[in-house]
Amino acid sequence: MGTNSELGEFLRVRRAALQPQDVGVLNYGFRRVPGLRREELAMLAGVSTTYYTRLEQGLSTNASEAVIGAIARALNLDAAERAHLFNLARPVKTRRRAPAKPDKIRAGTLRLIQSMSGTPAIVLGRRSEVLGWNTLGHRLLAGHLDYTAPAAPSTRPNLTRMLFLDQHTRELYVRWPEEARRAVASLRLVAGKSSDDQELASLIGELSLGSVDFATLWAKHPVENCMSGRKYMQHPEVGYLELNFEVLTPPDESGHRVLMYAAEPGTPGAEALQLLHNTTEGVSAVHRVQRT
Protein backbone atom coordinates (compact mmCIF):
# COMPACT_ATOMS: atom_id res chain seq x y z
CA MET A 1 0.00 0.00 0.00
CA GLY A 2 2.38 2.72 -1.24
CA THR A 3 1.01 5.99 0.11
CA ASN A 4 2.07 8.12 -2.87
CA SER A 5 0.54 5.76 -5.43
CA GLU A 6 -2.64 5.46 -3.34
CA LEU A 7 -2.93 9.26 -3.25
CA GLY A 8 -2.54 9.55 -6.99
CA GLU A 9 -5.05 6.78 -7.68
CA PHE A 10 -7.59 8.29 -5.29
CA LEU A 11 -7.28 11.71 -6.95
CA ARG A 12 -7.60 10.23 -10.47
CA VAL A 13 -10.65 8.15 -9.60
CA ARG A 14 -12.44 11.03 -7.90
CA ARG A 15 -11.56 13.51 -10.67
CA ALA A 16 -12.92 11.09 -13.28
CA ALA A 17 -16.19 10.82 -11.33
CA LEU A 18 -16.86 14.58 -11.56
CA GLN A 19 -18.60 16.04 -14.58
CA PRO A 20 -17.93 19.65 -15.62
CA GLN A 21 -21.53 20.64 -14.95
CA ASP A 22 -21.24 19.26 -11.41
CA VAL A 23 -18.76 21.99 -10.48
CA GLY A 24 -19.78 24.83 -12.79
CA VAL A 25 -17.06 24.32 -15.40
CA LEU A 26 -17.86 25.11 -19.01
CA ASN A 27 -17.73 21.92 -21.04
CA TYR A 28 -15.78 22.50 -24.24
CA GLY A 29 -14.04 20.22 -26.73
CA PHE A 30 -13.94 16.47 -27.06
CA ARG A 31 -13.04 14.57 -23.88
CA ARG A 32 -10.95 11.45 -24.39
CA VAL A 33 -11.56 10.34 -20.81
CA PRO A 34 -14.54 10.88 -18.48
CA GLY A 35 -14.64 13.54 -15.80
CA LEU A 36 -12.69 16.73 -15.25
CA ARG A 37 -9.38 17.45 -16.88
CA ARG A 38 -6.38 17.97 -14.63
CA GLU A 39 -6.18 21.64 -15.54
CA GLU A 40 -9.86 22.10 -14.62
CA LEU A 41 -9.44 20.51 -11.22
CA ALA A 42 -6.26 22.52 -10.62
CA MET A 43 -8.11 25.73 -11.52
CA LEU A 44 -10.93 24.93 -9.09
CA ALA A 45 -8.41 24.20 -6.33
CA GLY A 46 -6.36 27.32 -7.05
CA VAL A 47 -3.09 25.50 -7.78
CA SER A 48 -1.01 25.18 -10.91
CA THR A 49 -1.67 22.33 -13.31
CA THR A 50 1.97 21.28 -13.00
CA TYR A 51 1.76 21.06 -9.21
CA TYR A 52 -1.53 19.13 -9.26
CA THR A 53 -0.11 16.75 -11.88
CA ARG A 54 2.85 16.03 -9.62
CA LEU A 55 0.42 15.14 -6.82
CA GLU A 56 -1.43 12.70 -9.06
CA GLN A 57 1.84 11.16 -10.16
CA GLY A 58 3.03 10.71 -6.57
CA LEU A 59 5.96 13.08 -7.11
CA SER A 60 5.03 15.61 -4.43
CA THR A 61 4.90 14.55 -0.78
CA ASN A 62 4.84 17.87 1.05
CA ALA A 63 1.54 19.45 0.06
CA SER A 64 0.29 21.95 2.63
CA GLU A 65 -2.97 21.48 4.52
CA ALA A 66 -4.37 24.50 2.66
CA VAL A 67 -3.68 22.89 -0.72
CA ILE A 68 -5.11 19.50 0.29
CA GLY A 69 -8.17 21.23 1.73
CA ALA A 70 -8.66 23.16 -1.51
CA ILE A 71 -8.42 19.97 -3.58
CA ALA A 72 -10.91 18.26 -1.25
CA ARG A 73 -13.37 21.10 -1.81
CA ALA A 74 -12.82 21.02 -5.57
CA LEU A 75 -13.56 17.27 -5.58
CA ASN A 76 -16.71 17.77 -3.47
CA LEU A 77 -15.48 15.24 -0.89
CA ASP A 78 -17.56 14.52 2.19
CA ALA A 79 -16.09 14.48 5.71
CA ALA A 80 -14.90 10.84 5.60
CA GLU A 81 -13.43 11.21 2.11
CA ARG A 82 -11.70 14.45 3.10
CA ALA A 83 -10.13 12.77 6.15
CA HIS A 84 -9.00 9.91 3.90
CA LEU A 85 -7.38 12.36 1.46
CA PHE A 86 -5.46 14.00 4.31
CA ASN A 87 -4.33 10.58 5.56
CA LEU A 88 -2.96 9.74 2.11
CA ALA A 89 -1.38 13.13 1.50
CA ARG A 90 0.12 13.60 4.97
CA PRO A 91 0.83 10.07 6.24
CA VAL A 92 2.14 9.65 9.76
CA LYS A 93 5.80 8.69 9.58
CA THR A 94 6.58 5.62 11.64
CA ARG A 95 9.87 3.96 12.45
CA ARG A 96 10.41 0.35 11.51
CA ARG A 97 8.78 -1.76 14.19
CA ALA A 98 9.01 -5.34 15.33
CA PRO A 99 6.07 -7.51 14.25
CA ALA A 100 3.00 -6.56 16.25
CA LYS A 101 1.70 -8.96 18.85
CA PRO A 102 -1.61 -10.67 17.98
CA ASP A 103 -4.54 -8.45 18.84
CA LYS A 104 -6.60 -9.42 21.84
CA ILE A 105 -10.04 -8.48 23.13
CA ARG A 106 -10.16 -6.89 26.56
CA ALA A 107 -11.66 -9.23 29.14
CA GLY A 108 -14.09 -6.54 30.29
CA THR A 109 -15.34 -5.94 26.76
CA LEU A 110 -15.90 -9.65 26.26
CA ARG A 111 -17.86 -9.90 29.53
CA LEU A 112 -19.93 -6.89 28.49
CA ILE A 113 -21.08 -8.29 25.14
CA GLN A 114 -21.69 -11.74 26.65
CA SER A 115 -24.00 -10.16 29.21
CA MET A 116 -26.13 -8.73 26.36
CA SER A 117 -27.84 -12.05 25.70
CA GLY A 118 -30.73 -10.56 23.71
CA THR A 119 -28.58 -8.33 21.48
CA PRO A 120 -26.26 -9.72 18.80
CA ALA A 121 -22.85 -8.19 19.48
CA ILE A 122 -19.40 -8.64 17.96
CA VAL A 123 -16.03 -7.04 18.72
CA LEU A 124 -13.91 -6.36 15.65
CA GLY A 125 -10.24 -5.50 15.31
CA ARG A 126 -8.85 -2.84 12.96
CA ARG A 127 -8.96 -5.16 9.95
CA SER A 128 -12.51 -6.44 10.60
CA GLU A 129 -11.23 -9.61 12.25
CA VAL A 130 -13.58 -11.02 14.89
CA LEU A 131 -11.96 -10.74 18.33
CA GLY A 132 -15.03 -11.96 20.18
CA TRP A 133 -18.79 -12.34 19.95
CA ASN A 134 -21.69 -13.27 22.13
CA THR A 135 -23.73 -16.36 21.32
CA LEU A 136 -26.50 -14.47 19.52
CA GLY A 137 -24.00 -12.53 17.44
CA HIS A 138 -22.33 -15.79 16.46
CA ARG A 139 -25.66 -17.42 15.55
CA LEU A 140 -26.75 -14.39 13.54
CA LEU A 141 -23.65 -13.98 11.39
CA ALA A 142 -21.64 -17.19 11.47
CA GLY A 143 -23.49 -20.14 12.93
CA HIS A 144 -21.67 -22.39 10.46
CA LEU A 145 -18.34 -21.53 12.13
CA ASP A 146 -16.93 -22.71 15.45
CA TYR A 147 -17.98 -20.43 18.30
CA THR A 148 -14.45 -20.52 19.75
CA ALA A 149 -12.77 -19.49 16.46
CA PRO A 150 -12.03 -15.87 17.55
CA ALA A 151 -9.97 -17.09 20.52
CA ALA A 152 -6.86 -17.81 18.40
CA PRO A 153 -5.36 -15.50 15.72
CA SER A 154 -4.88 -18.45 13.35
CA THR A 155 -8.59 -19.32 13.31
CA ARG A 156 -10.21 -15.89 13.65
CA PRO A 157 -12.93 -15.13 11.13
CA ASN A 158 -12.71 -11.84 9.26
CA LEU A 159 -16.04 -10.26 8.32
CA THR A 160 -14.72 -8.71 5.11
CA ARG A 161 -13.05 -11.94 3.99
CA MET A 162 -16.23 -13.86 4.79
CA LEU A 163 -18.36 -11.39 2.85
CA PHE A 164 -16.38 -11.94 -0.36
CA LEU A 165 -15.02 -15.48 -0.04
CA ASP A 166 -17.53 -17.40 2.11
CA GLN A 167 -20.67 -18.55 0.29
CA HIS A 168 -22.72 -18.87 3.51
CA THR A 169 -22.05 -15.22 4.35
CA ARG A 170 -22.74 -14.05 0.82
CA GLU A 171 -26.14 -15.75 0.89
CA LEU A 172 -26.94 -14.17 4.26
CA TYR A 173 -27.19 -10.63 2.87
CA VAL A 174 -30.21 -9.86 0.74
CA ARG A 175 -28.60 -6.66 -0.54
CA TRP A 176 -25.13 -8.08 -0.99
CA PRO A 177 -23.81 -5.38 -3.39
CA GLU A 178 -24.73 -2.68 -0.87
CA GLU A 179 -23.08 -4.62 1.93
CA ALA A 180 -19.97 -5.26 -0.16
CA ARG A 181 -19.51 -1.60 -1.03
CA ARG A 182 -19.92 -0.60 2.60
CA ALA A 183 -17.28 -3.13 3.67
CA VAL A 184 -14.77 -1.96 1.06
CA ALA A 185 -15.44 1.71 1.88
CA SER A 186 -14.72 1.03 5.55
CA LEU A 187 -11.55 -0.92 4.73
CA ARG A 188 -10.34 1.92 2.48
CA LEU A 189 -10.65 4.33 5.40
CA VAL A 190 -8.61 2.03 7.64
CA ALA A 191 -5.97 1.49 4.93
CA GLY A 192 -5.49 5.24 4.60
CA LYS A 193 -4.60 5.45 8.28
CA SER A 194 -2.39 2.34 8.32
CA SER A 195 -0.09 2.41 5.31
CA ASP A 196 2.53 0.38 7.20
CA ASP A 197 0.18 -2.42 8.30
CA GLN A 198 1.53 -5.53 6.58
CA GLU A 199 -1.31 -7.78 7.76
CA LEU A 200 -3.84 -5.37 6.29
CA ALA A 201 -1.89 -5.23 3.02
CA SER A 202 -1.87 -9.04 2.95
CA LEU A 203 -5.64 -9.15 3.47
CA ILE A 204 -6.23 -6.66 0.66
CA GLY A 205 -3.96 -8.65 -1.64
CA GLU A 206 -5.73 -11.91 -0.79
CA LEU A 207 -9.16 -10.43 -1.46
CA SER A 208 -8.03 -8.71 -4.67
CA LEU A 209 -6.77 -12.02 -6.05
CA GLY A 210 -9.61 -14.14 -4.69
CA SER A 211 -12.60 -11.97 -5.59
CA VAL A 212 -13.25 -10.05 -8.79
CA ASP A 213 -16.03 -8.20 -6.95
CA PHE A 214 -13.62 -6.98 -4.30
CA ALA A 215 -10.97 -5.95 -6.83
CA THR A 216 -13.56 -4.00 -8.85
CA LEU A 217 -14.89 -2.18 -5.80
CA TRP A 218 -11.41 -1.51 -4.40
CA ALA A 219 -10.38 0.16 -7.65
CA LYS A 220 -13.28 2.61 -7.33
CA HIS A 221 -11.90 3.98 -4.03
CA PRO A 222 -15.15 4.20 -2.04
CA VAL A 223 -14.60 5.74 1.40
CA GLU A 224 -17.16 5.76 4.21
CA ASN A 225 -17.13 5.81 7.98
CA CYS A 226 -19.92 3.29 8.60
CA MET A 227 -21.12 3.84 12.15
CA SER A 228 -24.80 2.99 11.78
CA GLY A 229 -27.32 1.83 9.24
CA ARG A 230 -29.55 -1.07 8.30
CA LYS A 231 -28.83 -4.61 7.16
CA TYR A 232 -31.15 -6.94 5.30
CA MET A 233 -30.62 -10.64 5.93
CA GLN A 234 -32.09 -13.97 4.93
CA HIS A 235 -31.07 -16.15 7.84
CA PRO A 236 -30.97 -19.93 7.27
CA GLU A 237 -32.78 -20.64 10.57
CA VAL A 238 -35.29 -17.82 11.13
CA GLY A 239 -35.78 -16.28 7.70
CA TYR A 240 -35.87 -12.61 6.72
CA LEU A 241 -34.62 -9.90 9.08
CA GLU A 242 -34.26 -6.14 8.79
CA LEU A 243 -31.88 -5.02 11.51
CA ASN A 244 -30.40 -1.70 12.51
CA PHE A 245 -26.73 -1.71 13.44
CA GLU A 246 -24.61 0.60 15.55
CA VAL A 247 -20.83 0.67 15.88
CA LEU A 248 -19.27 1.84 19.14
CA THR A 249 -15.57 2.68 19.32
CA PRO A 250 -13.75 2.44 22.68
CA PRO A 251 -11.88 5.63 23.66
CA ASP A 252 -8.46 3.97 23.44
CA GLU A 253 -6.14 3.54 20.48
CA SER A 254 -6.82 -0.14 19.94
CA GLY A 255 -8.92 0.41 16.83
CA HIS A 256 -11.48 -2.08 18.18
CA ARG A 257 -15.15 -1.66 17.33
CA VAL A 258 -18.22 -3.08 19.03
CA LEU A 259 -20.87 -3.94 16.43
CA MET A 260 -24.42 -4.42 17.71
CA TYR A 261 -27.71 -5.24 15.99
CA ALA A 262 -31.34 -4.51 16.91
CA ALA A 263 -34.72 -4.79 15.24
CA GLU A 264 -37.55 -2.27 15.34
CA PRO A 265 -40.06 -3.37 18.01
CA GLY A 266 -43.17 -5.08 16.64
CA THR A 267 -41.66 -5.91 13.27
CA PRO A 268 -41.21 -9.36 11.70
CA GLY A 269 -37.48 -8.82 12.15
CA ALA A 270 -37.96 -8.43 15.91
CA GLU A 271 -39.96 -11.66 16.02
CA ALA A 272 -37.31 -13.50 13.99
CA LEU A 273 -34.53 -12.17 16.22
CA GLN A 274 -36.46 -13.23 19.33
CA LEU A 275 -36.92 -16.70 17.85
CA LEU A 276 -33.19 -16.93 17.21
CA HIS A 277 -32.55 -15.76 20.77
CA ASN A 278 -34.93 -18.40 22.17
CA THR A 279 -33.19 -21.19 20.28
CA THR A 280 -29.82 -19.82 21.39
CA GLU A 281 -30.38 -20.16 25.13
CA GLY A 282 -29.41 -23.82 25.22
CA VAL A 283 -26.34 -23.12 23.09
CA SER A 284 -25.32 -20.35 25.49
CA ALA A 285 -25.32 -22.81 28.37
CA VAL A 286 -22.95 -25.07 26.44
CA HIS A 287 -20.61 -22.12 25.74
CA ARG A 288 -20.58 -21.20 29.44
CA VAL A 289 -19.51 -24.72 30.26
CA GLN A 290 -16.79 -24.57 27.60
CA ARG A 291 -15.39 -21.33 29.08
CA THR A 292 -15.18 -22.87 32.53
Side-chain angles (χ1 to χ4, degrees):
M1 296 183 296
T3 304
N4 291 348
S5 61
E6 288 289 320
L7 171 62
E9 187 180 348
F10 180 70
L11 291 173
R12 286 190 294 273
V13 169
R14 290 313 169 95
R15 177 170 59 82
L18 279 179
Q19 299 304 315
Q21 59 269 25
D22 296 334
V23 290
V25 171
L26 181 64
N27 188 9
Y28 62 93
F30 173 73
R31 292 178 182 268
R32 290 177 298 174
V33 294
L36 292 181
R37 300 183 174 98
R38 283 176 176 168
E39 58 268 26
E40 292 170 336
L41 198 285
M43 178 191 68
L44 290 171
V47 299
S48 71
T49 301
T50 300
Y51 183 73
Y52 177 76
T53 300
R54 286 177 61 82
L55 278 176
E56 274 203 7
Q57 293 175 342
L59 300 176
S60 179
T61 58
N62 60 350
S64 68
E65 289 194 8
V67 167
I68 299 304
I71 292 174
R73 289 190 293 274
L75 289 171
N76 288 341
L77 302 184
D78 62 25
E81 293 165 339
R82 186 177 188 275
H84 182 65
L85 176 61
F86 269 89
N87 286 331
L88 295 178
R90 309 293 296 277
V92 177
K93 294 182 180 179
T94 57
R95 290 182 295 179
R96 197 172 189 85
R97 297 176 296 181
K101 294 181 180 179
D103 209 348
K104 186 177 181 181
I105 188 173
R106 291 178 56 216
T109 305
L110 183 59
R111 285 194 297 270
L112 176 64
I113 65 169
Q114 288 175 342
S115 70
M116 302 161 56
S117 61
T119 300
I122 297 174
V123 178
L124 301 174
R126 292 187 303 275
R127 311 171 195 93
S128 297
E129 69 274 28
V130 178
L131 301 179
W133 44 26
N134 62 13
T135 305
L136 191 54
H138 169 243
R139 290 286 301 282
L140 177 66
L141 295 186
H144 61 295
L145 300 181
D146 188 344
Y147 176 79
T148 64
S154 61
T155 58
R156 275 179 187 157
N158 182 291
L159 290 193
T160 305
R161 181 186 287 115
M162 290 166 60
L163 186 63
F164 286 94
L165 302 182
D166 180 76
Q167 190 61 33
H168 291 277
T169 304
R170 188 164 186 140
E171 293 173 355
L172 176 66
Y173 293 100
V174 175
R175 301 185 183 183
W176 187 88
E178 177 183 308
E179 194 68 26
R181 186 196 179 282
R182 184 157 49 195
V184 172
S186 296
L187 197 63
R188 267 289 181 192
L189 196 60
V190 174
K193 300 176 184 177
S194 310
S195 59
D196 62 340
D197 189 330
Q198 293 304 309
E199 289 187 45
L200 179 59
S202 177
L203 173 65
I204 293 168
E206 175 193 354
L207 293 174
S208 297
L209 291 173
S211 170
V212 173
D213 292 316
F214 179 88
T216 301
L217 281 169
W218 188 255
K220 293 179 180 179
H221 278 262
V223 178
E224 186 178 351
N225 190 16
C226 304
M227 302 301 292
S228 63
R230 178 165 290 198
K231 295 180 184 284
Y232 304 85
M233 301 178 179
Q234 184 64 37
H235 195 272
E237 296 181 61
V238 296
Y240 182 71
L241 301 100
E242 290 186 19
L243 300 176
N244 298 319
F245 74 89
E246 293 287 337
V247 177
L248 303 181
T249 305
D252 55 21
E253 297 182 358
S254 65
H256 295 178
R257 293 165 289 158
V258 181
L259 174 60
M260 298 178 294
Y261 300 84
E264 295 288 344
T267 63
E271 295 177 4
L273 190 60
Q274 182 61 48
L275 177 60
L276 188 62
H277 170 61
N278 292 342
T279 61
T280 298
E281 287 299 289
V283 178
S284 297
V286 173
H287 291 161
R288 286 193 291 272
V289 171
Q290 290 176 341
R291 291 196 298 271
T292 57

